[in-house]
Amino acid sequence: MIQISTDKKKLDIDLIHKYLSKESYWAKGRDIEIVKRSIDNSLCFGLYISNKQIGFARVVSDYSVFAWIMDVFILKNYRGKGYGKKLMKVIMTHKKLQNLQRWGLGTDDAHGLYEQFGFKLLSKPENMMEIKLK
C-alpha cells in the first residue's frame, strides 16, 4: 500500500542522504548535516510502500506567494510505476501550498513529469538571476 506523508519523524534520513549524495546528479557529495538542515527547514514529503520509504521531495515556501520544489526522487527499482505522479499530485494539492502566485523547480531530465502539472520553461529567463557557489 502506498502512503505519502509530511511527518518528518517517518523520514529515513540515511536513505535520503545516500540517494542525494551518491545517486542524484544535483546533490552529489552533499553532507548529511546539510541534508538534515534542509529537511528541518522545508515541507517534506516521504513516499512509502508498506512503511518502506521509496521516494522523497521537499518544498521551500513562504506559504503565501512562492514555493520551490527540490530534491525529488523515486528509488530506481520503483520508477515507471506512477509514483512520481502521485507524489507531485499530493505536493500540488497540499493545503498549505494553495493560492500561491508562483511555483518553481529545476530539472535536467523530468520535464515531461512536471509539464503534466502545469510547469513550463521560464517565460522570461533573462529576468532570472542566481549566485551559484558550488
Side-chain angles (χ1 to χ4, degrees):
M1 180 176 140
I2 186 172
Q3 180 189 21
I4 299 172
S5 172
T6 57
D7 183 352
K8 291 181 185 179
K9 293 177 194 146
K10 295 177 115 181
L11 293 172
D12 184 338
I13 304 298
D14 290 332
L15 175 123
I16 295 166
H17 174 252
K18 181 181 176 189
Y19 184 89
L20 291 175
S21 67
K22 293 188 176 16
E23 297 180 42
S24 75
Y25 62 81
W26 66 89
K28 285 235 188 284
R30 188 177 289 173
D31 184 84
I32 193 160
E33 293 306 316
I34 299 294
V35 171
K36 288 178 182 177
R37 194 170 354 148
S38 69
I39 288 170
D40 287 345
N41 292 293
S42 302
L43 175 61
C44 297
F45 296 80
L47 187 140
Y48 308 88
I49 294 180
S50 302
N51 294 318
K52 177 185 175 193
Q53 187 169 352
I54 64 151
F56 176 76
R58 65 187 185 91
V59 178
V60 177
S61 181
D62 61 8
Y63 300 109
S64 51
V65 178
F66 185 75
W68 189 267
I69 301 173
M70 304 174 76
D71 293 339
V72 180
F73 70 84
I74 303 296
L75 294 178
K76 191 175 187 177
N77 292 343
Y78 297 92
R79 292 182 193 154
K81 298 176 180 46
Y83 297 134
K85 288 181 194 177
K86 289 180 182 183
L87 182 57
M88 282 301 299
K89 183 175 182 183
V90 169
I91 291 169
M92 299 300 295
T93 60
H94 190 277
K95 64 184 176 187
K96 286 186 173 182
L97 300 172
Q98 298 310 296
N99 302 311
L100 299 172
Q101 295 175 10
R102 184 174 287 211
W103 288 81
L105 59 80
T107 186
D108 279 356
D109 60 358
H111 295 77
L113 169 64
Y114 300 119
E115 286 169 350
Q116 294 175 51
F117 293 91
F119 286 87
K120 297 179 169 99
L121 295 178
L122 294 173
S123 60
K124 293 187 175 184
E126 67 276 9
N127 289 3
M128 302 302 293
M129 297 178 73
E130 70 179 352
I131 296 173
K132 190 165 183 171
L133 303 173
K134 292 186 181 185

